[in-house]
């Protein structure tokens, strides 16, 4: 022991086993450090002869003084290479003003918010909205009873009766009718009255077209297939008259016009228009017109929705007017000896229709 102390004082190495120093190394980092030159191999150091000294616990942690430095070695223990901080962490670059990576989190959050709104709205629309009870106050409808159709006849619309004319069994039936018509019938101005025309010893009045046949007046035979069960022969008190210059004036006292109304089972416009070339000549005597005053064709007009065909001789106070009027599901053919009588017949039927419906 004293030898070892003396050797230490003299700076000589102690005898015994040399323990290498263990230096803790830093943990290996992901990025390798730059390569360092490999130190040259260390030459073996000759150990001096002599007894081996045993180190105490406090001396085993540091090198013995006076150890020679190994050539080419700058440090007894190699130090770990410095690490580049940039190689350990990825720092995102800041995007520009046109929408870089810094805007992605905001866009992502907005997308989530929009999706939540859409899903919430859809859930409300398809599940919650239909389950809500909505109370709607519906007014109680007023039921109007459908009126029972009334079987109205022309005798109800034109109840006034002028006279009954009985035709002779022999002789000129048309002339016999005209004589009685001119002398025995005086209607009120602007009003209609029925005329019952019968054959001798008969009580049933003739229909308008039966009367034409009895007077030997030509007309299209096809009309007989279209005639219904209701008809009337009327006289109208004419009020409108015209001077030779065409100015309207008051009709002379006792002026009257003949009117025929016949129910039709189907429209007969084509058949009636086929009669127009000879109609004014065929009806001239019965309607009191002069055929030669107007050789022109019939014209058309419209009155209260009813199409009217007419021909004046020379003015509307003496004419042949005809048209088909629809009334309560029926069709009526109206033929009149003046414009005023034609329009008055249409008005009378329509006015009666309004009275019945009220």
């Amino acid at each position: 022991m004293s030898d070892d102390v003396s050797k230490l004082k003299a700076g000589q190495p102690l005898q015994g086993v040399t323990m290498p120093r263990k230096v803790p190394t830093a943990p290996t980092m992901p990025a390798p450090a730059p390569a360092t030159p490999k130190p040259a191999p260390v030459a073996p150091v000759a150990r001096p002869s002599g007894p081996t000294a045993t180190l105490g616990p406090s001396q085993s942690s540091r090198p013995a003084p006076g150890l020679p430095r190994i050539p080419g070695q700058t440090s007894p223990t190699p130090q770990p290479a410095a690490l580049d901080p940039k190689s350990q962490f990825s720092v995102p670059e800041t995007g520009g003003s046109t929408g870089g990576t810094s805007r992605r989190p905001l866009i992502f959050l907005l997308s989530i918010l929009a999706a939540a709104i859409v899903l919430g709205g859809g859930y409300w629309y398809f599940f919650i909205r239909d389950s809500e009870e909505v109370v709607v106050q519906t007014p109680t409808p007023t039921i109007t009873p459908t009126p029972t159709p009334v079987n109205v006849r022309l005798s109800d619309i034109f109840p006034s009766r002028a006279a009954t004319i009985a035709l002779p069994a022999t002789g000129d039936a048309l002339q016999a009718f005209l004589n009685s018509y001119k002398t025995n019938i005086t209607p009120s101005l602007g009003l209609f009255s029925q005329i019952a025309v019968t054959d001798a010893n008969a009580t049933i009045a003739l229909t308008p077209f039966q009367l034409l046949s009895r007077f030997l007046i030509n007309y299209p035979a096809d009309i007989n297939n279209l005639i219904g069960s209701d008809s009337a022969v009327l006289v109208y008190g004419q009020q409108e008259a015209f001077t030779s210059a065409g100015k309207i004036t008051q009709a002379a006292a006792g002026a009257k016009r003949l009117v025929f109304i016949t129910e039709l089972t189907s429209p007969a416009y084509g058949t009636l228009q086929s009669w127009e070339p000879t109609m004014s000549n065929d009806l001239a005597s019965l309607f009191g017109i002069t055929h030669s005053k107007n050789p022109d064709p019939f014209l058309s007009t419209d009155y209260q929705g009813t199409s009217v065909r007419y021909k004046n001789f020379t003015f509307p106070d003496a004419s042949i007017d005809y048209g088909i009027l629809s009334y309560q599901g029926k069709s009526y053919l109206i033929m009149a000896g003046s414009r005023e009588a034609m329009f008055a017949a249409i008005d009378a039927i329509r006015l009666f229709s309004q009275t019945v419906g009220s």
Side-chain angles (χ1 to χ4, degrees):
M1 182 67 173
S2 60
D3 292 339
D4 292 336
V5 172
S6 61
K7 286 181 181 182
L8 289 172
K9 291 179 179 182
Q12 296 178 358
L14 299 179
Q15 295 294 325
V17 180
T18 302
M19 299 298 292
R21 183 181 179 183
K22 293 183 180 181
V23 180
T25 60
T28 304
M29 303 306 290
T36 57
K38 185 176 182 181
V42 179
V45 178
R47 295 180 181 179
S49 60
T52 303
T54 303
L55 298 177
S58 61
Q59 294 174 335
S60 63
S61 62
R62 62 177 179 268
L67 291 178
R69 186 180 297 276
I70 301 174
Q73 183 176 357
T74 60
S75 176
T77 303
Q79 299 296 323
L83 299 177
D84 186 2
K86 293 185 179 180
S87 65
Q88 302 300 317
F89 304 97
S90 246
V91 181
E93 296 181 359
T94 304
S97 61
T98 57
T101 57
S102 64
R103 296 180 58 186
R104 293 179 182 175
L106 179 60
I107 296 176
F108 180 71
L109 292 176
L110 292 177
S111 301
I112 293 177
L113 180 60
I117 293 174
V118 172
L119 292 176
Y123 180 79
W124 175 86
Y125 184 84
F126 291 103
F127 296 97
I128 299 177
R129 183 181 69 90
D130 294 339
S131 63
E132 296 177 352
E133 295 184 359
V134 179
V135 179
V136 179
Q137 296 293 336
T138 303
T140 303
T142 302
I143 301 176
T144 303
T146 303
T148 304
V150 180
N151 185 18
V152 178
R153 298 187 63 83
L154 293 173
S155 57
D156 299 324
I157 302 174
F158 306 99
S160 177
R161 298 182 179 274
T164 298
I165 299 176
L167 300 177
T170 59
D172 190 344
L174 176 58
Q175 191 59 48
F177 170 80
L178 292 176
N179 291 338
S180 180
Y181 173 76
K182 291 176 181 179
T183 57
N184 298 327
I185 298 175
T186 305
S188 301
L189 294 177
L191 297 177
F192 290 93
S193 296
Q194 284 198 56
I195 301 175
V197 183
T198 62
D199 271 325
N201 302 323
T203 57
I204 300 177
L206 299 174
T207 66
F209 284 95
Q210 288 175 343
L211 195 59
L212 295 181
S213 297
R214 185 72 172 81
F215 294 159
L216 303 178
I217 295 176
N218 294 324
Y219 64 89
D222 293 342
I223 294 181
N224 292 326
N225 300 325
L226 307 175
I227 294 175
S229 59
D230 196 12
S231 62
V233 177
L234 305 173
V235 58
Y236 176 75
Q238 180 75 13
Q239 303 176 94
E240 183 183 59
F242 290 83
T243 65
S244 58
K247 293 182 180 182
I248 298 178
T249 184
Q250 182 68 34
K256 52 196 173 191
R257 297 293 183 267
L258 198 62
V259 178
F260 290 167
I261 302 180
T262 302
E263 180 187 354
L264 298 177
T265 57
S266 62
Y269 282 109
T271 302
L272 291 168
Q273 289 185 12
S274 69
W275 186 18
E276 287 182 359
T278 62
M279 182 183 293
S280 57
N281 185 44
D282 295 334
L283 298 178
S285 299
L286 184 60
F287 280 79
I289 59 174
T290 304
H291 168 65
S292 59
K293 289 184 177 181
N294 187 0
D296 297 331
F298 277 74
L299 302 176
S300 295
T301 188
D302 182 271
Y303 182 74
Q304 300 294 333
T306 299
S307 178
V308 177
R309 298 280 290 174
Y310 69 94
K311 193 173 184 180
N312 298 330
F313 305 94
T314 298
F315 300 107
D317 58 335
S319 67
I320 295 177
D321 286 45
Y322 77 87
I324 299 175
L325 170 66
S326 296
Y327 168 72
Q328 289 197 345
K330 297 181 181 181
S331 297
Y332 291 98
L333 168 63
I334 304 175
M335 303 183 71
S338 71
R339 177 182 64 183
E340 181 187 350
M342 181 70 185
F343 291 174
I346 295 175
D347 290 339
I349 295 175
R350 290 191 178 278
L351 179 61
F352 188 87
S353 176
Q354 295 174 4
T355 303
V356 172
S358 61

